Structures are given as structure tokens and as C-alpha cells.
């Protein structure tokens, strides 16, 4: 096996280079079926392979997915935690939001219970391949109980997939000749050990990444694991030109990352635009109100980023109170960062006949009628008994290819009754549709729609159907993305501050985290004020 490394600083087009140069060359030489593309997430790997390379679907995915196939698709323990909790109530695992995660990499405190905390700590020890003889006693106790439970149930855990494959599986599924790993700096010591073992049976491997953007140390990743294996100098390929980061922001980012004690420095050039950095010390995570006005004046997309999720709570409250639409498309399942989800879609469905809300207005589809009717108290609507059932029946009657077709005008009285149909026509003619709808919302749906009503009132009903221009989240959650303007809070949690004041790897981890935050900005960077003593000085 010959290992090559593609080093790609922020905005240099690493994924583009893989998709348009490295993968096509590998396919031409060895055949698409002999190429495997692997990344920390399936979405990232699929993005590389989406450029028409012909690499088979089963050859694209996460390392865990490859191990799952190689080991005969065992039952996964994490899907059966209720059984573990019943067997070991003193070590119950609830998936605590206070355990380390991309949303919360530096928890304000330990996990909400002992089991979550111990699970998180033992995972890191295993991923860093720390000998058990060096483990703390409480982690040893937890792991012994976990191992006994796995043996009794014949389940396999996620980390165990990697460990077992490293021990017993010599080649990657399909025996590929080429192994391409994107975001390799995010792989743990354990994962890289398996990748390199499998690579020994391949003709060559490409490890693409950037040690300066290694910010997953909370799960056992380290730039030393990515960069530590010696390879010939000529096997290191460098991308130099950033297509994202302008000069002013590049200068700050470069001076900031130079603080790291361990790194592989690459000659890195900024985009040919000055950009701007504004320091707004008066705006803090506790008092963020003025930031809203600043960002609304910006053109293009914006991000509000923090090291810790809890830092963003006052900002999120202010945005919701003001009816400013925001989201986090990189963490779609995080309800706190995607509060328009569900409510906005249903209000927008209701407003389908309103040209102020839709460029292509018209009568509803049966699916849209079902969606918004499920929001309302029928005893407050002028519709006949069975109106919801009639809408569902109409939806069921339609063949799949006609689901997106609008209803016929004759369907309106059939569903809503003649008087109800006339009332609906009237409220849309008078532009009072939302005012008509809001008092009829079911109490159980009030929270779902409250913010969406505020957005419609603040930004107009068309905003409900538009993708928000503002992203809110942790730096971890937006890694790999960019925005025209980025507002960055410098605050840390107590655990993050403990990392920051500890020289070496812990401090380097925090340095790299804020480096990633700084380099999300394409044009303007707003560095905000600290809300307390636990913060970095950017």
C-alpha cells in the first residue's frame, strides 16, 4: 500500500479536488468497483461520489457502515439501550444532551447521569487506544459491565465494530484497490489504525484532510493520529489557494492557528478580496439584541456560531421574539436550531392560494389540506363533520403521480361544505387568512406554530417557504460550511476553559476549534464580546 495525503486548508476545495481529480483517476486506473470512498458521515462521502464517478453505492459511506457489512450485519447495542438500562439501572444511559457531542463538545458539566458520563469517557479511551491498565477505575467498572452485557445479548456496539474489524477483518469489503478517506483528521486513532490496516491490502490510499481543522478530540480524534504516520515527502499534496477566506480574515486565522503547538503547516493563500473584521465587544451571548440589526443589514447568508450550544440560548430567544427566520441545515434533527420545522411548512401549505405567500399560488393539494387541517380545532371552523376524513380520502384516492396536483374547484365544497368553502374564499380575498387561522390552532399545536406566525408577521408570509439566510449553531455543527458573514462568540464552558488553560493537546483543541469558526466567513467576521471570564481572546 502507498499512502498519499491531500492537505486542504479552509476553502481550498478539497472535496472538489477529490471528486474531480482523485476519484476519476482512481476509477480510470482500477475501475469504479475497486474504489471505496469513506468519510465520517455518509453525506460527506456521497457528496464526493455524486459527480458521476460510477463508484457503486455500497462502496460509499462511513467506516462504521463498512465494518457493519464486513462483520455480517450484527445487531447494534445502541439500538437496544432500554435493555441495558433495565439490566444495569445504576449505569443507565439516556443519551444525555450534556454528554459531549457536535452540539455540545465542551459540556458545562458532566453527563446528566453516571451512565452517560462513563459511556462518553470510555468511548474516548477506546478510540484513543489507551491500554486498559491506564484507565480510571470507574471507567473499567463500566466497561466490564458493558462487555458482559454485549456477550450475553450477542449485540455489538458502534465502537466495537471498529475494534472487532481491526482484530479480525484483514481487507475492506469488496477488496478495493483504492481507499479514499475524506476528513481524515476527524478519524480517531482507532479508526485510522483500521483504515491503515485495510490500506495495506490496497494499491494506494488517499487520506484527505487538514490537521488544523481537527476538532473532534472529544470523540478521540487527533491530528497526531492523522499526521503521525511517516510517508515520503512527495506523497504529501497541498492545496494552497482559498476560494473562501479574504485577506483580513485570513491574516487573523493564520496568526491564531500559529498558536497551536502541533501542526502541519501548509502554504495557504487568501482570496483576492480584503474582507472585514469588526469587534463588537458590547454584544455578548447574554445581551445579543443589537446583533440582530447588524446581521439584517448584511447581504447574503449569515452565521451565528459559538463553542457551546448553551451559549446560543439567549440569541435564539431574541431571534424568535423578533420573528427572524433561522435554521441549521447541518443538524436538521436539532429542534432548537430548526424551530420553523413543521410549523412553517404547515402555515405555508395553508397559504397556498395567497400570491403574497407563493410565487406559484393556487388551490391546495390534498396533502396540503390534510397538513393544515390537522392544526385546527374543528369546532371553531365552519366545516361539516367529517371534513378531515374527506380530505384524507381525497388524498388516498389520488394515484402517487397525482399527489402534487391541486384539487379541483368542485372538490372544495365537497370537503369544506358550501359555507366553509365560501368563507375560505373570502379570507383569502381579504388577505386575512392567517388572522382567521391563528385563533383556531389546537393547543397541542400552538408551540409548533407560534414562531412561524411571528416570522410571517415580521417578514411576510413568503418567508415561511424560503430557506432562512441565517444559520445558528456550534462551530462543530457547521464545520465544512461557509457564509458571507459570521458572528462568533468567544465564550467557553468551564470544561472548555480547563482545556484552554492546559498547554499542549487540550489547548490546541480549543485553538483549532476557533480557527474553524473564523474561517467560515467569506466576507465579514464579527467578533463578539465575552460574557464572563471563561472565553478566548481572539
Amino acid at each position: 500500500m502507498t499512502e498519499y495525503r491531500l492537505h486542504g486548508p479552509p476553502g481550498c476545495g478539497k472535496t472538489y479536488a477529490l471528486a474531480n481529480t482523485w476519484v476519476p483517476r482512481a476509477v480510470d486506473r482500477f475501475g469504479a468497483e475497486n474504489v471505496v470512498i469513506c468519510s465520517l458521515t455518509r453525506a460527506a462521502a456521497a457528496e464526493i461520489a455524486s459527480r458521476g464517478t460510477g463508484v457503486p453505492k455500497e462502496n460509499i459511506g462511513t467506516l462504521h457502515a463498512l465494518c457493519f457489512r464486513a462483520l455480517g450485519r450484527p445487531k447494534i447495542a445502541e439500538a437496544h439501550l432500554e435493555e441495558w438500562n433495565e439490566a444495569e439501572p445504576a449505569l443507565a444511559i439516556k443519551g444525555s444532551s450534556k454528554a459531549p457531542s457536535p452540539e455540545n463538545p465542551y459540556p458545562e458539566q458532566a453527563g446528566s447521569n453516571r451512565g452517560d458520563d462513563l459511556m462518553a469517557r470510555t468511548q474516548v479511551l477506546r478510540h484513543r487506544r489507551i491500554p486498559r491498565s491506564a484507565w480510571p477505575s470507574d471507567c473499567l467498572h463500566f466497561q466490564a459491565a458493558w462487555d458482559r452485557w454485549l456477550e450475553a445479548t450477542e449485540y455489538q456496539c458502534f465502537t466495537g465494530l471498529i475494534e472487532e474489524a481491526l482484530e479480525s477483518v484483514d481487507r475492506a469489503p469488496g477488496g478495493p484497490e483504492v481507499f479514499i478517506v475524506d476528513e481524515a483528521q476527524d478519524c480517531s486513532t482507532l479508526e485510522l489504525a483500521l483504515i491503515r490496516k485495510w490500506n495495506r491490502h490496497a494499491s494506494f490510499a488517499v487520506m484527505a484532510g487538514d490537521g488544523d481543522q481537527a476538532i473532534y478530540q472529544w470523540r478521540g480524534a487527533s491530528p497526531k493520529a492523522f499526521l503521525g504516520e511517516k510517508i515520503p515527502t512527495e506523497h504529501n499534496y497541498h492545496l494552497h489557494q482559498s476560494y473562501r477566506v479574504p485577506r483580513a480574515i485570513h491574516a487573523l486565522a493564520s496568526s491564531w492557528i500559529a498558536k497551536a503547538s502541533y501542526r502541519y503547516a501548509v502554504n495557504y493563500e487568501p482570496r483576492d478580496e480584503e474582507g472585514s473584521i469588526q469587534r463588537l465587544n458590547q454584544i455578548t451571548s447574554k445581551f445579543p439584541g443589537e446583533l440582530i440589526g447588524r446581521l439584517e443589514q448584511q447581504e447574503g447568508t449569515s452565521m451565528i456560531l459559538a463553542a457551546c450550544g448553551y451559549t446560543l440560548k439567549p440569541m435564539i430567544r431574541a431571534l424568535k421574539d423578533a420573528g427572524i427566520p433561522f435554521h441549521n441545515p447541518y443538524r436538521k434533527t436539532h429542534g432548537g436550531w430548526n424551530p420553523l420545522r413543521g410549523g412553517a411548512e404547515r402555515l405555508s401549505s395553508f397559504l397556498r392560494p395567497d400570491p403574497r405567500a407563493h410565487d406559484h399560488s393556487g388551490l391546495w393539494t390534498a396533502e396540503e389540506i390534510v397538513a393544515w387541517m390537522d392544526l385546527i380545532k374543528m369546532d371553531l371552523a365552519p366545516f361539516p363533520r367529517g371534513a378531515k376524513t374527506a380530505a384524507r380520502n381525497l388524498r388516498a384516492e389520488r394515484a402517487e403521480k397525482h399527489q402534487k396536483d391541486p384539487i379541483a374547484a368542485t372538490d372544495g365544497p365537497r370537503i369544506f361544505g358550501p359555507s366553509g368553502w365560501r368563507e375560505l374564499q373570502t379570507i383569502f380575498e381579504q388577505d386575512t387568512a392567517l388572522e382567521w387561522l391563528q385563533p383556531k390552532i389546537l393547543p397541542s399545536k400552538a408551540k409548533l406554530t407560534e414562531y412561524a406566525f411571528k416570522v410571517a408577521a415580521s417578514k411576510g408570509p413568503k418567508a415561511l417557504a424560503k430557506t432562512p439566510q441565517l444559520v445558528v449553531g456550534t462551530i462543530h455543527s457547521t464545520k465544512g460550511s461557509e457564509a458571507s458573514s459570521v458572528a462568533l462568540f468567544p465564550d467557553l464552558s468551564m470544561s472548555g476553559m480547563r482545556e484552554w488553560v492546559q498547554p499542549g493537546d487540550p489547548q490546541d483543541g480549543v485553538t483549532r476549534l476557533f480557527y474553524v469558526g473564523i474561517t467560515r466567513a467569506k466576507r465579514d467576521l464579527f467578533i463578539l464580546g465575552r460574557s464572563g471570564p471563561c472565553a478566548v481572546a481572539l
Side-chain angles (χ1 to χ4, degrees), residues 32-50:
E33 70 282 358
N34 289 314
V35 177
V36 163
I37 302 172
C38 180
S39 190
L40 196 64
T41 66
R42 175 168 175 78
E47 182 181 351
I48 298 169
S50 65

Side-chain angles (χ1 to χ4, degrees), residues 130-151:
I130 304 297
R132 293 199 183 187
S133 58
W135 285 23
S137 59
D138 56 350
C139 291
L140 283 170
H141 171 76
F142 175 88
Q143 190 62 46
W146 182 253
D147 289 341
R148 288 194 298 270
W149 180 69
L150 293 178
E151 184 176 0

Side-chain angles (χ1 to χ4, degrees), residues 84-85 88-93 113-116 118 141-142 145-146:
W84 162 261
N85 294 341
E88 298 284 349
L91 300 173
I93 301 169
N113 59 51
R114 186 165 176 250
D116 285 297
L118 288 168
H141 171 76
F142 175 88
W146 182 253

Side-chain angles (χ1 to χ4, degrees), residues 35-113:
V35 177
V36 163
I37 302 172
C38 180
S39 190
L40 196 64
T41 66
R42 175 168 175 78
E47 182 181 351
I48 298 169
S50 65
R51 314 295 173 95
T53 60
V55 175
K57 184 178 179 180
E58 61 270 19
N59 286 17
I60 303 164
T62 65
L63 188 62
H64 286 86
L66 293 173
C67 293
F68 182 69
R69 285 174 50 204
L71 296 171
R73 305 178 185 275
K75 292 182 179 179
I76 300 300
E78 284 83 352
H80 301 277
L81 289 180
E82 72 284 351
E83 297 177 27
W84 162 261
N85 294 341
E86 184 177 348
E88 298 284 349
L91 300 173
I93 301 169
K94 297 180 180 178
S96 167
S97 62
K98 293 181 181 178
S101 70
E103 291 76 22
N104 193 36
Y106 296 107
E108 193 171 6
Q109 60 189 59
S112 62
N113 59 51

Side-chain angles (χ1 to χ4, degrees), residues 395-416:
R395 179 179 63 179
E397 289 168 10
R398 297 191 161 205
E400 184 175 343
K401 66 179 180 179
H402 296 301
Q403 286 295 323
K404 294 184 179 180
D405 293 345
I407 64 170
T410 53
D411 290 323
R414 180 157 69 96
I415 297 172
F416 304 108

Side-chain angles (χ1 to χ4, degrees), residues 263-328:
R263 60 188 296 253
Y264 179 92
V266 172
N267 180 29
Y268 176 38
E269 300 295 331
R271 182 164 65 94
D272 187 20
E273 185 175 315
E274 187 59 29
S276 75
I277 299 173
Q278 299 180 52
R279 297 181 181 275
L280 306 176
N281 293 328
Q282 75 279 15
I283 300 175
T284 69
S285 60
K286 292 181 179 177
F287 301 102
E290 188 183 330
L291 181 61
I292 295 175
R294 295 259 185 173
L295 292 178
E296 288 206 285
Q297 295 171 14
Q298 300 296 116
E299 293 183 1
T301 56
S302 298
M303 284 183 178
I304 300 175
L305 301 180
C308 311
Y310 79 89
T311 305
L312 296 165
K313 289 182 178 180
M315 184 77 251
I316 288 172
R317 283 195 296 270
L319 290 169
K320 293 173 77 172
D321 289 344
I324 307 299
F326 69 92
H327 70 148
N328 189 315

